[in-house]
Amino acid sequence: MDELNPNRPIWLADDGLAVRVIDQRKLPHELEILDLTTVDRVIQAIVEMVVRGAPLIGVTGAYGVMLAAAAAGGRAELEKEAGRIKAARPTAVNLAWAVDRTLAAALECGRQPDRVAAARQEAGRIAAGEAENCRRIGSHGARLIQEASRRKEGKTVNILTHCNAGWLACVEWGTATAPIYVAHGRGLKVHVWVDETRPLNQGARLTAWELGRRGVPHTVIADNAGGHLMQHGLVDMVIVGTDRTTAAGDVANKIGTYLKALAARDNDVPFYVALPSSTFDWRISDGLRQIPIEERDPDEVRYVRGLAGESTRQVLVPPAQSPAANPAFDVTPARLVTGLITERGICRATAADIARLFPDKAGAAA
Ligand code: MRU
């Protein structure tokens, strides 16, 4: 049986009205839990990346609707607050999806206490659903690792991943990490190349921390090392997550993902993207033109945070006067994607094959 990942980055406090999250800005050197008790705090946590990763942003936004319902006077105010939460980060489509779903559930009730209870229940359902989706992604994706292991006669399968698409970014299991956790749990030999993922180092800080806690062999590499490793046969497959994938299979993910896909194609390394259905944007099919790419504060590029002695410190890297730019995501065209690993199975990154797996969802394009 697959080993269950008990780790969750979000849960409710006992009173049911405080949303508890791991402060991901502090990891890996400090493990701090924050209580989010107001809509403003939820929005701030999403914007400042206390919580991050597409499915987790969605679940946090859903609980934000619960807090909005607890504070809001009427329907119009609740809708306005939901709109503010949705605007906190633009690229991950899970945020709008989860907020809209929770808002609709709340608005089915006329009385305020019922709205709060309905929102709490719906947010809980979304969280449980995402955990289950990730568990299934793990089972489907592990088959790919199993096949690679068989081809290599049991030798270590080397997997490269970018950013953090682990349980910290989701609810449990993760997306890109789920197949790795399942394969590792089954005793297959795996090793993960962890892209550091500048500017905020989600790979070096978060993925390395997660994998280390689970005993999965891994090595942190500079973002630019992947192509070299692929040229030398040291990468058997790439698995990444995504923040928004079109109905035709174009994939938006953390900046730098596209370059890994190019290097993978040039070296015949399979490039997989793992995602729950909440990350598909069924209304669009042209990722380059239609996916909004978040531009973040250039100071995230200019400064680096890390452990200095006993405490963490932030240091400036380039000359103080040099301007910096910080596009947070890029789009990998579907033609560079070998396959999409979803909760319903694995498909090719084409409109037809995605629609074959999701006939109930596809076809919504305007
Ligand atoms: O800016 P972030 O850290 O929120 O970006 C996260 C990513 O790009 C992840 O790879 C993506 O959300 C998939 S998470 C399962």
Side-chain angles (χ1 to χ4, degrees):
M1 207 169 100
D2 298 339
E3 188 194 350
L4 184 74
N5 181 351
N7 299 304
R8 279 198 176 212
I10 188 165
W11 62 97
L12 278 184
D14 288 342
D15 66 2
L17 276 178
V19 185
R20 279 210 170 133
V21 296
I22 296 177
D23 186 346
Q24 301 196 22
R25 298 168 304 180
K26 302 281 174 67
L27 287 172
H29 304 298
E30 296 161 51
L31 179 54
E32 239 178 65
I33 310 297
L34 291 185
D35 275 2
L36 311 177
T37 50
T38 64
V39 174
D40 282 343
R41 292 269 287 157
V42 162
I43 292 172
Q44 186 191 16
I46 295 172
V47 170
E48 292 181 7
M49 293 173 64
V50 169
V51 291
R52 29 70 50 202
L56 178 60
I57 297 174
V59 172
T60 310
Y63 280 121
V65 173
M66 175 194 77
L67 296 176
R75 183 186 180 102
E77 203 178 325
L78 183 53
E79 283 173 340
K80 192 168 137 237
E81 289 299 82
R84 283 205 309 130
I85 300 170
K86 284 202 284 185
R89 287 193 81 189
T91 302
V93 74
N94 305 57
L95 179 57
W97 171 83
V99 167
D100 284 341
R101 199 174 126 171
T102 311
L103 178 67
L107 289 179
E108 274 181 22
C109 308
R111 293 175 53 244
Q112 196 222 18
D114 297 338
R115 282 185 180 163
V116 178
R120 182 184 296 114
Q121 192 179 40
E122 193 62 16
R125 269 200 208 115
I126 290 172
E130 293 296 51
E132 175 60 13
N133 286 340
C134 287
R135 191 190 68 76
R136 288 176 190 215
I137 287 168
S139 299
H140 294 303
R143 286 207 320 267
L144 299 169
I145 301 176
Q146 198 130 25
E147 281 159 21
S149 169
R150 211 171 294 128
R151 277 196 303 276
K152 292 187 81 174
E153 297 173 343
K155 290 206 193 80
T156 301
V157 178
N158 290 295
I159 301 157
L160 184 142
T161 193
H162 192 69
C163 194
N164 171 262
W167 65 262
L168 284 166
C170 302
V171 182
E172 292 171 6
W173 295 96
T175 54
T177 54
I180 297 168
Y181 286 139
V182 171
H184 178 70
R186 288 179 187 164
L188 296 177
K189 283 193 196 156
V190 291
H191 165 263
V192 185
W193 295 111
V194 178
D195 280 355
E196 61 180 349
T197 318
R198 281 281 289 140
L200 290 178
N201 289 315
Q202 290 96 325
R205 295 188 302 108
L206 307 176
T207 304
W209 181 77
E210 268 194 36
L211 294 175
R213 278 166 53 104
R214 297 289 294 268
V216 179
H218 63 279
T219 307
V220 177
I221 51 173
D223 281 330
N224 300 325
H228 164 78
L229 296 173
M230 291 182 207
Q231 284 176 322
H232 289 271
L234 295 171
V235 181
D236 295 301
M237 68 180 72
V238 178
I239 311 181
V240 297
T242 166
D243 293 82
R244 189 185 297 229
T245 289
T246 70
D250 291 341
V251 168
N253 192 47
K254 181 51 54 191
I255 192 79
T257 302
Y258 169 53
L259 292 177
K260 295 300 135 64
L262 284 174
R265 174 55 55 93
D266 193 45
N267 291 283
D268 287 327
V269 172
F271 183 93
Y272 291 103
V273 178
L275 73 162
S277 49
S278 54
T279 305
F280 279 106
D281 188 338
W282 303 106
R283 304 158 306 167
I284 60 172
S285 53
D286 183 341
L288 267 183
R289 283 164 202 257
Q290 293 177 294
I291 297 179
I293 299 296
E294 180 180 17
E295 289 280 341
R296 290 186 62 83
D297 187 341
D299 276 357
E300 291 179 350
V301 174
R302 299 169 70 235
Y303 289 87
V304 175
R305 174 171 281 280
L307 193 63
E310 300 277 289
S311 55
T312 57
R313 251 178 79 191
Q314 187 156 287
V315 294
L316 176 66
V317 178
Q321 304 313 323
S322 292
N326 189 10
F329 299 95
D330 59 25
V331 174
T332 298
R335 66 188 152 75
L336 297 178
V337 177
T338 308
L340 300 172
I341 310 170
T342 78
E343 72 265 25
R344 294 196 191 169
I346 300 169
C347 67
R348 280 175 290 130
T350 63
D353 218 31
I354 294 169
R356 179 183 61 77
L357 270 193
F358 294 94
D360 49 326
K361 306 253 170 75

